[in-house]
Amino acid sequence: MGGTSDKRHPWWERGVVYQVYPRSFQDSDGDGVGDLAGIEARLDYIAALGVDAVWLSPIFPSPMADFGYDVADYCDVEPLFGTLEDFDRLLAAAHARGLKLLLDFVPNHSSDQHPWFAESRSCRDNPKRDWYIWRDAIAGPDGERLPPNNWISDFGGSAWEWDEATGQFYLHAFLAQQPDLNWRSAELKAAMLGAMRFWFERGVDGFRIDVLWHIVKAQGLPDNPPNPAWAPGVNERDRVLQLHSTDQPEAHAISAEMRALADGYGERLLVGEIFLPNDRLARWHGTPEAPQVHLPFNFCLIENSWDAEVIGKLIADYEASLPLWGWPNWVLGSHDAPRIAARIGEAQARVAMMLLLTLRGTPTLYQGDELAIGAVPIPPEKVRDPRELRQPGIGLGRDPSRTPMPWDGSPNAGFSLAEPWLPLNPDWPARNVAAQEAEPGSMLTLTRALLRLRRAEPALAVGNYRQVACEGALLAYGRRSGDTHLLVTLNLGAEPVALPDQALGGQRLLSTLAGEAHELRGNEGVVFRL
Ligand code: TEU
């Protein structure tokens, strides 16, 4: 396609990443859980969407306490998902379609079933004892056994688990089945970097790196300060501020080492999962001499209210926070976040998709959002997510965003011959890929059109960003590359708003709604060429 290859921009700056949650994409062997052969069978769908890269949530051997984010072997494939041979085939098939493939590296913690942890917990003087973080108990006022500090697991409860056999606690930022690895051990670090190398050698195009800002803890493991804003009823994790348990200088140094390793293999991509305010997020780009991850994930569209003025300001703030050598990125959904259509409604989700795919920087699109899958009720007996099971009923459950892809109107929506591991979206007979492919007004058709436009117009992917209007429900911005001036106008409300003057006389390239009007209709977004 004309104008696509702007050589000044590497593929990951021009491209769009599509996140696949392997358990829920396509089952090929009738066990109700998706797998690698299933993903391979659906690659034509992904390629036809018009994205550039696929990020797979973890596919490594795992007891699935946290559905793959508990890794029992960093250099193999979980049998539920297939084999290393299946992986090689999938990678070759992706590359044959011009798609890059990213894996999900989980460096902060392994599974408690990893052989390293079995060794580490076997006795205090095992050589791998310090591959994990072990500490003595503290004696309480009445001589009772207390954990070494006040750190709280992200999934609730103390971040420390007592090990009777060796008489010490081990640290786990997430589940007790996910013991934290000790990146201060040179041997552990070498083993983990070796695992990255293993997949680079196999040809993967990069990694999304799980909870990267967690991987090193402050020396001495001091107590975290209490969070004055916390009140019961919200995530217990937030009772303390994770001052000493996250975002340590040593973690930045490791991030730079990971980048140097990746750069040794040519144009590979590292995306860091990091939840931090802009000023601290920006530091994860590193410096020109010692770059860190290419894309520290930017979750601000997920974390803020859906309001034109708020979003206009957060775009400006994020852009302003980027170092000169940094490249922006945007995320609207994931296997952890609520579905965007559930959050803001289906009509507004179309505007959100236009926003995601017309901002400056690399977008990450989560599977199923291109169908505007909305709220999926999970009956109590079907809840699988450990986060919901440990702190039920306060809205932390992630199952609703992890339900299987509905492909067509056949049994189980064409996802599996067996009952899927999580329920389907209840409206799957109508809301599925086949139905939306046949529908000019569908979310899928809109998403494809947006991705086509982004590919055809380098101004959208890599052009300059300039805010034009941000008042009431209207958000408008210009995107410019060379002689091309585009204007994106978004109505974040349900009532019509006037178009900015700049749009007058412009050529309408794409609208989220059928037909056209002299104003921006409720829930409408339009891209103009000026
Ligand atoms: O998520 C990390 C994480 O911190 C999120 O739970 C985050 O706190 C939340 O979404 C913000 O509201 C990663 C994985 O994406 C998640 O699936 C894993 O459970 C977790 O790490 C542990 O590996």
Side-chain angles (χ1 to χ4, degrees):
M1 218 174 281
T4 51
S5 52
D6 184 336
K7 292 294 177 225
R8 287 166 309 162
H9 292 275
W11 68 267
W12 53 270
E13 291 186 357
R14 283 174 283 126
V16 176
V17 178
Y18 182 75
Q19 181 190 355
V20 165
Y21 193 66
R23 292 182 65 88
S24 296
F25 201 63
Q26 175 68 57
D27 178 18
S28 74
D29 59 0
D31 61 2
V33 177
D35 47 48
L36 297 187
I39 298 167
E40 189 187 339
R42 295 295 186 184
L43 277 180
D44 286 334
Y45 167 78
I46 299 175
L49 256 186
V51 298
D52 302 84
V54 179
W55 147 35
L56 301 180
S57 277
I59 58 164
F60 317 107
S62 168
M64 298 284 163
D66 192 22
F67 297 109
Y69 287 93
D70 47 326
V71 177
D73 181 348
Y74 288 95
C75 299
D76 204 348
V77 170
E78 160 63 36
L80 258 178
F81 295 143
T83 62
L84 268 176
E85 291 66 45
D86 293 330
F87 174 78
D88 290 339
R89 250 204 345 267
L90 173 63
L91 182 62
H95 286 167
R97 287 163 180 79
L99 291 168
K100 308 283 185 184
L101 192 68
L102 311 176
L103 290 182
D104 200 322
F105 190 57
V106 189
N108 180 67
H109 44 266
S110 74
S111 161
D112 64 346
Q113 302 303 305
H114 197 296
W116 297 343
F117 190 66
E119 280 192 55
S120 184
R121 79 186 313 173
S122 65
C123 62
R124 287 203 194 189
D125 52 15
N126 183 278
K128 290 201 174 57
R129 185 69 170 178
D130 77 339
W131 284 32
Y132 294 84
I133 300 170
W134 294 94
R135 289 292 183 280
D136 291 334
I138 288 176
D142 301 316
E144 72 273 34
R145 188 173 64 218
L146 298 179
N149 66 24
N150 70 349
W151 294 2
I152 298 173
S153 152
D154 273 41
F155 292 150
S158 169
W160 294 93
E161 181 77 2
W162 177 251
D163 179 59
E164 198 59 58
T166 57
Q168 281 190 314
F169 282 96
Y170 67 85
L171 181 69
H172 57 92
F174 294 88
L175 298 173
Q177 296 97 314
Q178 294 167 294
D180 277 35
L181 290 160
N182 176 21
W183 279 80
R184 293 186 187 276
S185 152
E187 282 180 22
L188 176 278
K189 187 168 90 178
M192 291 298 279
L193 296 179
M196 293 183 99
R197 210 172 277 123
F198 173 87
W199 294 105
F200 279 137
E201 301 279 347
R202 273 196 126 76
V204 309
D205 300 289
F207 294 97
R208 175 266 192 189
I209 307 174
D210 190 63
V211 295
L212 179 59
W213 86 117
H214 270 265
I215 63 172
V216 183
K217 336 298 167 190
Q219 289 283 17
L221 311 181
D223 274 351
N224 274 325
N227 175 7
W230 184 82
V234 301
N235 199 344
E236 202 197 340
R237 169 196 70 188
D238 299 329
R239 245 169 60 189
V240 295
L241 302 168
Q242 298 185 327
L243 180 70
H244 301 301
S245 47
T246 63
D247 201 23
Q248 298 299 306
E250 295 91 335
H252 287 271
I254 290 167
S255 158
E257 277 189 71
M258 289 174 171
R259 172 63 180 269
L261 176 70
D263 284 350
Y265 289 93
E267 221 174 64
R268 312 286 172 113
L269 171 64
L270 297 181
V271 183
E273 190 210 19
I274 299 157
F275 284 86
L276 286 175
N278 284 339
D279 54 334
R280 282 163 67 196
L281 188 65
R283 295 189 213 153
W284 289 88
H285 292 278
T287 61
E289 299 71 39
Q292 299 182 30
V293 292
H294 303 80
L295 303 176
F297 258 150
N298 163 21
F299 294 110
C300 69
L301 292 176
I302 290 179
E303 296 180 312
N304 288 278
S305 55
W306 199 257
D307 173 283
E309 292 177 26
V310 170
I311 294 176
K313 181 166 169 8
L314 66 82
I315 296 169
D317 288 349
Y318 174 68
E319 282 275 356
S321 75
L322 286 172
L324 278 177
W325 55 92
W327 184 252
N329 79 91
W330 299 93
V331 185
L332 204 58
S334 78
H335 64 296
D336 293 333
R339 283 280 183 196
I340 183 70
R343 198 180 128 209
I344 62 175
E346 181 172 4
Q348 197 46 228
R350 298 169 68 87
V351 176
M353 187 63 83
M354 182 172 273
L355 174 71
L356 176 71
L357 297 179
T358 58
L359 282 172
R360 189 178 87 97
T362 309
T364 298
L365 173 58
Y366 180 52
Q367 75 174 47
D369 281 350
E370 75 273 30
L371 307 174
I373 293 177
V376 186
I378 308 288
E381 72 281 4
K382 297 244 161 102
V383 171
R384 304 288 300 271
D385 177 17
R387 193 159 84 165
E388 175 68 15
L389 291 169
R390 289 177 57 85
Q391 297 188 75
I394 56 170
L396 294 177
R398 301 172 294 180
D399 292 329
S401 306
R402 298 174 174 185
T403 59
M405 274 291 279
W407 293 102
D408 55 41
S410 68
N412 303 316
F415 166 71
S416 174
L417 296 174
E419 187 187 337
W421 74 287
L422 277 176
L424 289 154
N425 48 303
D427 54 356
W428 70 267
R431 187 181 304 284
N432 64 58
V433 169
Q436 291 204 10
E437 272 179 336
E439 239 269 28
S442 72
M443 182 68 150
L444 180 56
T445 304
L446 172 66
T447 305
R448 286 181 175 169
L450 280 163
L451 286 163
R452 228 175 8 251
L453 185 63
R454 190 180 172 94
R455 200 174 279 270
E457 298 289 351
L460 286 180
V462 300
N464 295 339
Y465 170 90
R466 186 175 57 86
Q467 188 173 292
V468 168
C470 155
E471 48 194 334
L474 174 69
L475 176 63
Y477 45 89
R479 301 298 317 281
R480 176 180 181 160
S481 167
D483 294 337
T484 310
H485 293 228
L486 302 182
L487 178 70
V488 181
T489 59
L490 305 173
N491 183 349
L492 273 68
E495 301 302 320
V497 297
L499 280 164
D501 294 344
Q502 290 91 328
L504 303 175
Q507 177 198 357
R508 299 166 70 94
L509 296 180
L510 184 59
S511 169
T512 58
L513 299 180
E516 63 182 80
H518 293 297
E519 57 193 2
L520 262 187
R521 291 165 286 174
N523 299 311
E524 182 175 33
V526 183
V527 182
F528 294 91
R529 188 195 305 282
L530 303 184

